[in-house]
Amino acid sequence: MDTEIIVQDLELRSLIGFDGNPLNGLILHPDGVHLVYPLGTNITAYNWHTKAQRFFEGHTNVISAVTVSSSGQYVGSGQVNYMGFRSPIIVWQFDTGQLVAKYESHKVRVESVAFSSCENFLISLGGVDDGSVIVYDIGKREVLCGSSSVKSTAGSATVLQPVHMRGECFVVAGDNILRLWTLNREQRNIQGLDGSFAKIKRKILCTVVDRLDEYAYCGTSTGDVMKIKLNFSSDTAVVAPTNAPTLVGCFAKYPPAGKNRRGTSAAAAVELYSKGITALYLVADGTMLVGSGDGVVELVKQKARDGGRGACSKPDSTRLATPTRPLLVAVKSANVDSSVTSIQLMADGLVLVGTVNCELFAIRAHDFDVTCLFTCHTSVVYDLAFPHGYSKVFATASKHDVRVWSVDTLQELLRITVRNFTCSGVLFSYDGAQIVTSWNDGNIRIFAPETGRLLYAINNCHNKGVSAIAMSKDGRKLLSGGGEGQVRVWQVDNLNGALQAVLKEHKGPVSSIDVHQLGHEAITASADGTCVVWDIVRFTRLSIMFSSTIFTSAKYHPNGAQLLTCGTNRYIGFWEALDGSLIREIEGSSASALNSLDVTPNGKYIVTGSSDQMVKVWLYNEGVPTHVGVGHAGVVTNVKVSPDGRFVVSTSADGGIFLWRFPHAADTVPPGSRCSANSVGGGGAGSLREQQTDRSRQLSLKKTLPARKENIKIISKVQKVRTAADCSRPTAAATAPGDGNATETAVDGSVKCLCRRGSTCVCCDHSAGGRKIKPLGR
């Protein structure tokens, strides 16, 4: 080559979802416009008004903690690292995205990070394997001091919270421990005072400090709130507290009227939050937002205590009184169905709630109406598919569900759920009227793209689950591969599927199937180290390819002359489509297996995803990489180029979905196919006869088809999640009476409605597969 190709970074266009696992991982920037949250190895700054995203890059593994300074000048984060290695902590300038500092002080994991109120220091708390708290001087770019956060009579510390009026003080809390630390900058050390809990044992999950630094409120795994007096002097110039923090009381909610625990007095009866209190937020008017482990979000106010008796007072000398007493009165309540990890309050009264299921909800403060804003997969994404010739939406397959996403808004448009089963494959029919899915229970289920209702199912397709599916261009043949190694060809129409042939050659699970654009042959890849090219007209084997690898993907080049494969041997294989001979191999990764491969519509570029968490773009003819995308925090499981050739979508084992801007000019016109229509279809006359046959078949089926056929190209234009009109449509059993493949049970899918409460959606009156659909927040 005359010119050397320089490998560049692949530009990240946008991310779908956010990581809800870090405590307080969702942060509202002080400017009131941006949301800061982690996903993968990136920190995302999301503009609430323009919906634009900016990214802070630099981490190499899962981000475990994130924070923003009080003025919004800095963004800091820490990550998880491998056992035996130290975890880096990074500080960025928020406006420019420039890296301010990067240092390594904790082993394996950074549990929490926080800026001091004066923004001169970044405080970090190590995980169980580290057990230390470190203070970093941002101005001098050095570690100032550190100390052990472990207490001999208590468990590990997991919560870090700075105070507001004294930049040298912060609180560390955890399992039966709360310690108030004070920094001595001149002596370069920190000193801690342990809070006194008497005989009360509590595991603290979250902590907030009021604006005057008088009290700290701690949410516990027991389900009550500990109120602790910090004992600071009224003079803010005095940094050190006068006494150790003291417990004021452990408080929970008053039970509803008429509810009382057996054997207790009405004054002592309390109601605890189920699965503990995982998030707290103090409102300026004195009320408090509480988030619990079972998804309850409540606005509570503190009721004045009567009699002045302490929470731990002893009415007699024989026993200790119940430490938890009623003090909180629930004003408003909502439920988000999963453990709350973050609560933020916007200036317009909108409450933002992040959950451990990687969902972001908006709750209106005046009526506590719940709306789902962001969703994301929480487990491995097994497959990814675009509709033919349409780049506005795409579908992903994961555990329990199939989801359809909008490229423009990054919103979830549709969710089809089949409980207790895993979806191994998803594709759209050529006309966009069906979503075809394969499941590990051995069934293939076909759904409507707008409502998600079950059209029909092909039961008992494979003994060990369906591992791969593909469909011909005309939509008449559906190929499925199973865990036992068989490839089966099905004749499908709008109502059912009939078995045509069983192709037995592979000895291991079928990992990938790709059908030739002319529909006369297909290639299958298997874990047994073979790829087979099949004639799906005569149902015979045309050629077979062997390699010492586990094949993970196999595809036809758009011109039909060559085949591309990838696998665990780290190589991209180029094969002759005519006889299956190997043309060449190029190393796709230096250390990890290649899990997915795709070719651009023009056939000039290849995109690969590998276990080293990288997405690469290759020149097809030269066989050299041009761009590398780094950002996934898990193994890259799928990569797909959009039909318009403008961007690349990649998914990973941690559930992340990344949209990359394709670096080369979009040219969607594919090269001429070596396999002309004359060799298969009999020339122009044959094509005309096929069109006439298709037309007559459509006319004959006109009476059995619905009045309007659903299409995937409509979903992104007329609805956010679902339309009200679609909710009232008949179910699959009503559409296809007497069909043995249709089912009326709840096993074959249901749609989780995310519509706003009080909207015109009638999802509650619709039953998908016999299951009632309840919108969130109702």
Side-chain angles (χ1 to χ4, degrees):
M1 297 179 62
D2 298 334
T3 60
E4 182 181 357
I5 297 178
I6 301 176
V7 179
Q8 302 177 9
D9 292 332
L10 196 61
E11 181 184 354
L12 184 60
R13 170 182 168 179
S14 55
L15 304 178
I16 291 182
F18 84 107
D19 188 358
N21 290 289
L23 182 66
N24 295 325
L26 174 68
I27 301 174
L28 177 65
H29 193 270
D31 62 7
V33 177
H34 290 87
L35 294 178
V36 179
Y37 53 86
L39 180 63
T41 61
N42 300 288
I43 302 291
T44 305
Y46 176 80
N47 191 304
W48 184 261
H49 296 156
T50 64
K51 312 303 179 185
Q53 293 180 340
R54 291 194 298 118
F55 306 103
F56 302 95
E57 302 175 352
H59 285 288
T60 58
N61 209 329
V62 178
I63 296 174
S64 57
V66 62
T67 185
V68 178
S69 62
S70 57
S71 68
Q73 181 181 2
Y74 298 117
V75 175
S77 61
Q79 72 171 51
V80 180
N81 211 341
Y82 300 103
M83 187 65 67
F85 294 89
R86 293 188 178 273
S87 300
I89 298 174
I90 304 180
V91 180
W92 290 279
Q93 195 81 24
F94 177 79
D95 295 333
T96 62
Q98 184 179 0
L99 192 143
V100 176
K102 182 176 182 179
Y103 64 99
E104 298 178 355
S105 297
H106 297 285
K107 299 177 182 177
V108 184
R109 177 185 176 91
V110 178
E111 193 69 41
S112 181
V113 291
F115 288 99
S116 62
S117 59
C118 60
E119 299 189 6
N120 294 327
F121 314 108
L122 178 65
I123 309 153
S124 57
L125 180 65
V128 178
D129 300 290
D130 183 77
S132 64
V133 56
I134 301 294
V135 179
Y136 182 82
D137 193 321
I138 300 176
K140 295 182 179 180
R141 306 291 194 271
E142 65 176 3
V143 175
L144 194 61
C145 59
S147 179
S148 174
S149 62
V150 180
K151 185 180 177 182
S152 59
T153 59
S156 59
T158 57
V159 181
L160 173 64
Q161 178 66 40
V163 299
H164 298 286
M165 305 183 69
R166 295 165 177 83
E168 296 84 0
C169 298
F170 57 93
V171 175
V172 171
D175 188 2
N176 197 32
I177 180 176
L178 185 139
R179 185 174 293 176
L180 178 59
W181 294 90
T182 303
L183 169 66
N184 191 325
R185 189 170 186 176
E186 289 74 17
Q187 299 181 3
R188 298 176 68 95
N189 63 12
I190 52 176
Q191 297 178 351
L193 284 175
D194 289 325
S196 177
F197 297 163
K199 295 183 179 181
I200 296 177
K201 307 292 183 183
R202 289 291 187 272
K203 182 177 181 180
I204 297 175
L205 303 180
C206 57
T207 302
V208 291
V209 179
D210 61 10
R211 288 292 174 182
L212 299 178
D213 295 344
E214 293 182 1
Y215 297 100
Y217 298 87
C218 306
T220 68
S221 60
T222 309
D224 53 10
V225 177
M226 298 178 67
K227 185 176 182 181
I228 299 173
K229 188 174 183 180
L230 298 180
N231 292 321
F232 280 114
S233 172
S234 58
D235 185 5
T236 57
V238 179
V239 176
T242 56
N243 293 301
T246 56
L247 177 65
V248 177
C250 301
F251 305 115
K253 292 187 297 180
Y254 279 91
K259 183 177 180 181
N260 190 11
R261 295 188 302 178
R262 183 179 301 175
T264 59
S265 62
V270 296
E271 184 176 2
L272 301 173
Y273 286 93
S274 179
K275 298 183 181 180
I277 296 176
T278 55
L280 291 173
Y281 187 91
L282 292 178
V283 187
D285 59 359
T287 58
M288 183 166 52
L289 290 165
V290 179
S292 67
D294 64 345
V296 173
V297 180
E298 287 188 337
L299 179 67
V300 299
K301 63 179 181 180
Q302 301 179 33
K303 189 175 181 180
R305 298 170 57 194
D306 51 352
R309 292 176 57 187
C312 304
S313 60
K314 295 184 179 181
D316 55 61
S317 60
T318 59
R319 66 182 181 89
L320 180 69
T322 303
T324 300
R325 296 180 62 86
L327 180 71
L328 307 178
V329 178
V331 180
K332 297 175 183 177
S333 179
N335 198 318
V336 294
D337 293 335
S338 57
S339 180
V340 178
T341 56
S342 305
I343 296 179
Q344 294 289 303
L345 181 62
M346 300 190 71
D348 56 357
L350 197 66
V351 180
L352 301 179
V353 178
T355 70
V356 74
N357 283 348
C358 303
E359 294 177 327
L360 173 61
F361 294 91
I363 302 177
R364 290 191 304 219
H366 65 278
D367 59 357
F368 259 49
D369 177 62
V370 180
T371 303
C372 184
L373 300 180
F374 293 160
T375 59
C376 185
H377 288 290
T378 58
S379 58
V380 182
V381 180
Y382 293 101
D383 202 8
L384 168 69
F386 275 95
H388 177 76
Y390 192 65
S391 302
K392 296 293 185 181
V393 299
F394 63 91
T396 55
S398 183
K399 188 176 181 181
H400 299 317
D401 55 39
V402 176
R403 306 190 188 191
V404 180
W405 306 89
S406 171
V407 172
D408 296 332
T409 64
L410 307 180
Q411 298 292 325
E412 178 184 334
L413 301 176
L414 181 69
R415 183 184 305 181
I416 303 171
T417 303
V418 180
R419 292 295 178 188
N420 303 323
F421 295 117
T422 298
C423 184
S424 58
V426 61
L427 59 87
F428 293 93
S429 59
Y430 187 81
D431 58 358
Q434 296 177 352
I435 300 177
V436 185
T437 61
S438 61
W439 301 81
N440 66 343
D441 62 346
N443 296 342
I444 296 176
R445 296 177 174 90
I446 293 85
F447 300 94
E450 294 181 47
T451 59
R453 61 188 176 92
L454 179 70
L455 297 178
Y456 64 94
I458 306 176
N459 299 320
N460 303 320
C461 297
H462 294 272
N463 295 331
K464 296 184 179 180
V466 185
S467 56
I469 54 173
M471 182 175 281
S472 61
K473 186 176 180 179
D474 58 6
R476 302 175 191 171
K477 289 184 179 179
L478 176 65
L479 280 72
S480 65
E484 76 283 352
Q486 293 184 4
V487 178
R488 299 191 176 187
V489 184
W490 306 85
Q491 182 76 27
V492 296
D493 55 27
N494 291 302
L495 299 178
N496 56 21
L499 181 64
Q500 279 192 320
V502 179
L503 308 176
K504 299 180 181 180
E505 186 69 40
H506 296 296
K507 306 300 181 182
V510 179
S511 56
S512 174
I513 304 176
D514 191 33
V515 180
H516 194 279
Q517 60 181 349
L518 297 180
H520 66 291
E521 65 180 43
I523 180 174
T524 59
S526 174
D528 62 358
T530 62
C531 285
V532 179
V533 179
W534 304 93
D535 185 335
I536 57 176
V537 178
R538 296 176 296 171
F539 307 116
T540 58
R541 189 189 79 186
L542 296 178
S543 60
I544 186 170
M545 294 160 282
F546 296 93
S547 181
S548 58
T549 182
I550 297 177
F551 284 111
T552 55
S553 182
K555 292 190 72 69
Y556 280 96
H557 190 269
N559 63 11
Q562 292 185 0
L563 305 170
L564 295 172
T565 63
C566 66
T568 56
N569 63 350
R570 305 178 287 107
Y571 283 91
I572 304 173
F574 295 74
W575 308 79
E576 180 64 44
L578 187 62
D579 57 0
S581 59
L582 181 63
I583 300 174
R584 62 171 175 169
E585 283 185 327
I586 59 175
E587 188 178 24
S589 175
S590 59
S592 301
L594 298 179
N595 299 321
S596 183
L597 176 146
D598 197 22
V599 187
T600 57
N602 57 19
K604 296 180 181 179
Y605 306 99
I606 308 172
V607 181
T608 59
S610 55
S611 296
D612 57 3
Q613 307 172 4
M614 292 185 182
V615 177
K616 294 184 180 180
V617 179
W618 304 75
L619 291 173
Y620 181 84
N621 293 329
E622 292 80 359
V624 294
T626 61
H627 292 76
V628 176
V630 179
H632 283 285
V635 172
V636 179
T637 55
N638 296 278
V639 289
K640 280 289 188 296
V641 182
S642 63
D644 58 9
R646 295 183 178 179
F647 58 91
V648 178
V649 179
S650 61
T651 63
S652 58
D654 62 345
I657 303 175
F658 285 50
L659 279 73
W660 310 86
R661 200 176 307 278
F662 194 74
H664 304 288
D667 180 13
T668 59
V669 180
S673 174
R674 191 188 66 174
C675 302
S676 65
N678 295 329
S679 61
V680 178
S687 300
L688 181 60
R689 284 195 298 269
E690 289 182 359
Q691 294 177 5
Q692 293 174 350
T693 304
D694 292 341
R695 179 61 178 168
S696 62
R697 182 179 290 106
Q698 292 175 3
L699 292 175
S700 64
L701 294 175
K702 186 175 181 180
K703 295 182 180 180
T704 62
L705 293 177
R708 185 184 70 84
K709 198 173 185 180
E710 296 185 19
N711 196 287
I712 189 61
K713 296 182 181 180
I714 301 176
I715 187 175
S716 62
K717 301 177 181 178
V718 300
Q719 68 183 46
K720 181 179 180 182
V721 177
R722 302 179 62 194
T723 59
D726 292 332
C727 297
S728 58
R729 296 197 175 186
T731 60
T735 305
D739 180 18
N741 290 328
T743 178
E744 296 182 3
T745 63
V747 176
D748 286 311
S750 62
V751 182
K752 182 179 182 182
C753 178
L754 304 177
C755 304
R756 182 187 297 274
R757 183 174 62 179
S759 65
T760 58
C761 178
V762 291
C763 300
C764 286
D765 300 328
H766 176 62
S767 177
R771 179 180 298 173
K772 285 292 183 181
I773 305 171
K774 182 178 181 181
L776 293 182
R778 296 196 178 185

